[in-house]
Every structure is written in structure tokens, then in C-alpha cells.
Amino acid sequence: MNFRKGQRREDPEINLIPFIDVLLVILIFLMVSTTYSKFTELQITLPTAEAQKAEDKPFELNVTVDAKGNYTINGEPVSFRDVNGFAQAMRDAATKAGEAGKSPVVIVNADQFAMHQMVINVMEAARIAGYEKLTFAAQTGGSK
């Protein structure tokens, strides 16, 4: 029997080199066996800059409505019986301006004291005349 005092036991040691070798083999195996799928891409056809030159100024019909119920188209007073008559007056004004084939932009200049129905009449007449572009003019600045 060996009863020596002072003799130390050796601490167990983990050797990491075989562990790293095994991990590298697994990594290489996974890289080789993995299939890489190509992701589908969205096909986009971008527009080109081959457009025609835009018009400088669109054809406009300026319709004015005042508080007394008077209507003007491009500064000329218009009298009519119903909305269809006003639509015909708008068509005549477009023909008179020499732009009968084009659809004008109808600009509504309404007085702040004009009745709501007067503006609705202009909008309805533009619809009947086949004019789809309609805008409202507004005055900026201080009050009177």
C-alpha cells in the first residue's frame, strides 16, 4: 500500500481539439448538403422619359357667380333658364374660344355671398357638358 502524503491527484482535462474537429466536419457537411434556393424577384418595368412636351397652359373656362345670381363665362354675362341651358352656354363658350374638341378646366369663381345652389348649378352644368376637370378659385389676403 502506498500511503504517501503530499502526492497530488491530477485534475481531469478536456481536450478541445477533437471537439473543434468534429464541429468543423459538421459545419462542412451542413454547407455541402444545404440547398440554396433563389428567391423570386418582383419584375418591374420602369417608365422611360420619352413623353411629349406638356402643354404650357390648359384650356380654361372661367365661370363667375356673384351674390346677385349673375353668371359669366370668361367675362361675358350668360342668361339661361335651367342647368341644361347653362351647359349649352359652356359648350358655346368653348366653341367660341376655338377649343371645342378639348375638354377645358372649369374654374369656378364664386362670391362669398353667392348661394350654395348657384355653385351646384355650375358643377351640374359642367357634368352635363362633359367637362370632368373642375376647380375652385380662392382669394387670399385679408378681409374687407
Side-chain angles (χ1 to χ4, degrees):
M1 289 199 192
N2 196 358
F3 292 110
R4 289 191 216 174
K5 289 185 180 182
Q7 190 180 31
R8 289 195 217 162
R9 283 176 62 186
E10 284 188 31
D11 291 331
E13 192 176 302
I14 297 176
N15 194 356
L16 293 177
I17 294 175
F19 179 68
I20 292 171
D21 288 343
V22 169
L23 286 177
L24 282 174
V25 168
I26 291 173
L27 181 66
I28 291 170
F29 174 75
L30 287 175
M31 287 174 55
V32 169
S33 64
T34 302
T35 59
Y36 295 101
S37 62
K38 187 175 183 180
F39 293 103
T40 58
E41 297 174 356
L42 182 62
Q43 296 296 325
I44 299 174
T45 305
L46 296 175
T48 58
E50 297 175 8
Q52 295 178 355
K53 183 180 175 185
E55 295 179 17
D56 293 332
K57 185 177 177 183
F59 174 50
E60 299 174 348
L61 279 181
N62 288 308
V63 179
T64 307
V65 181
D66 67 5
K68 296 178 183 176
N70 299 319
Y71 294 84
T72 62
I73 298 175
N74 291 338
E76 296 181 18
V78 178
S79 61
F80 57 92
R81 292 182 184 214
D82 58 357
V83 177
N84 290 325
F86 190 64
Q88 186 58 45
M90 291 174 77
R91 284 190 211 107
D92 293 342
T95 305
K96 187 175 181 182
E99 304 281 345
K102 289 174 77 175
S103 179
V105 176
V106 178
I107 301 173
V108 181
N109 296 296
D111 189 281
Q112 67 178 348
F113 298 111
M115 290 192 303
H116 182 71
Q117 185 60 44
M118 294 176 187
V119 177
I120 298 297
N121 290 342
V122 173
M123 293 169 57
E124 181 67 15
R127 184 191 65 79
I128 291 170
Y131 303 145
E132 298 174 354
K133 298 175 185 175
L134 185 118
T135 186
F136 294 92
Q139 183 178 4
T140 58
S143 61
K144 293 182 181 179

